[in-house]
Amino acid sequence: MKTNQLFLPFLIFTISFNSFLSSAAEAPPAVIDIAGKKLRTGVDYYILPVVRGRGGGLTLDSTGNESCPLDAVVQEHHEIKNGLPLTFTPVNPKKGVIRESTDLNIKFSAASICVQTTLWKLDDFDEATGKYFITIGGNEGNPGRETISNWFKIDKFERDYKLVYCPTVCNFCKVICKDVGIFIQDGTRRLALSDVPFKVMFKKA
């Protein structure tokens, strides 16, 4: 009887420990920057194109003739420009490493000259172009239905990475799942949902 009583706690411990190891093993791979280092929460990075000769890093621009709002997320025209630095914050902000296929907020570190947040969000459908554009003005954190447009992912794409909109922060919400690509509008290279992904790499600022 004593043997059975001792065996049961050991069995429970073994099952729990194996479950812990299984969960740890299933953690998605870390996103790696061009220096071979893991991307980390709260650290400034540039998002740069892998394909050269078609523009540089990412920055902000206005969508009209006015200087404000400065809300369109765009690619620099010249490839020598890194654009503005950004930070990545995962759905669990206590996690220090940014991992593939994990919901996260993307935010420009530079302050906007306009009164607005610099957190990325998916804008409403634009009927004129038939596109969903990436803009700024989202609310950081608070995962759920109210912030569904503010969550993006970094996925492995061939040997590099791509940005994806496919949030999983709301179990009952119906969402679009699509790659983030480049749409040229009036000569401006805007970020928008696309069938052709924007292949990117990350450089510490």
Side-chain angles (χ1 to χ4, degrees):
M1 192 68 174
K2 276 187 176 181
T3 304
N4 289 339
Q5 287 175 342
L6 289 171
F7 178 75
L8 186 58
F10 176 76
L11 181 62
I12 293 171
F13 170 78
T14 303
I15 292 171
S16 300
F17 184 68
N18 287 339
S19 298
F20 170 78
L21 289 178
S22 177
S23 298
E26 291 173 3
V31 179
I32 305 299
D33 67 15
I34 60 173
K37 305 292 185 181
K38 295 177 182 178
L39 259 65
R40 297 202 167 267
T41 306
V43 177
D44 286 347
Y45 296 94
Y46 295 113
I47 297 179
L48 302 174
V50 172
V51 180
R52 310 304 287 176
R54 299 182 187 173
L58 303 181
T59 187
L60 288 168
D61 199 359
S62 59
T63 52
N65 295 325
E66 302 295 327
S67 57
C68 282
L70 202 64
D71 60 353
V73 179
V74 303
Q75 185 184 15
E76 292 274 13
H77 286 287
H78 304 290
E79 68 174 88
I80 59 171
K81 292 187 176 182
N82 289 331
L84 298 175
L86 306 104
T87 57
F88 305 97
T89 306
V91 66
N92 182 353
K94 293 182 180 179
K95 299 292 184 182
V97 174
I98 304 300
R99 299 191 176 276
E100 296 176 16
S101 305
T102 301
D103 289 296
L104 49 84
N105 289 148
I106 304 176
K107 183 179 182 180
F108 284 111
S109 295
S112 171
I113 60 172
C114 308
V115 182
Q116 61 198 123
T117 72
T118 56
L119 190 86
W120 286 22
K121 70 172 185 176
L122 185 71
D123 207 7
D124 295 332
F125 182 71
D126 183 71
E127 293 186 0
T129 58
K131 293 291 182 182
Y132 286 94
F133 289 107
I134 311 302
T135 60
I136 61 169
N139 298 313
E140 194 165 3
N142 192 29
R145 183 176 181 177
E146 299 303 317
T147 62
I148 197 72
S149 64
N150 304 336
W151 299 95
F152 296 84
K153 295 178 181 179
I154 300 170
D155 282 356
K156 194 72 177 177
F157 180 55
E158 297 173 348
R159 299 176 114 185
D160 302 291
Y161 296 100
K162 64 180 179 178
L163 303 172
V164 175
Y165 179 80
C166 189
T168 52
V169 295
C170 176
N171 293 330
F172 55 87
C173 297
K174 186 177 180 180
V175 299
I176 302 167
C177 283
K178 215 163 187 179
D179 294 331
V180 175
I182 299 293
F183 179 77
I184 301 175
Q185 184 182 43
D186 300 325
T188 300
R189 300 177 65 83
R190 296 190 64 180
L191 262 64
L193 298 192
S194 172
D195 294 327
V196 181
F198 178 42
K199 191 185 291 189
V200 298
M201 55 187 177
F202 305 94
K203 178 183 176 182
K204 189 174 179 180

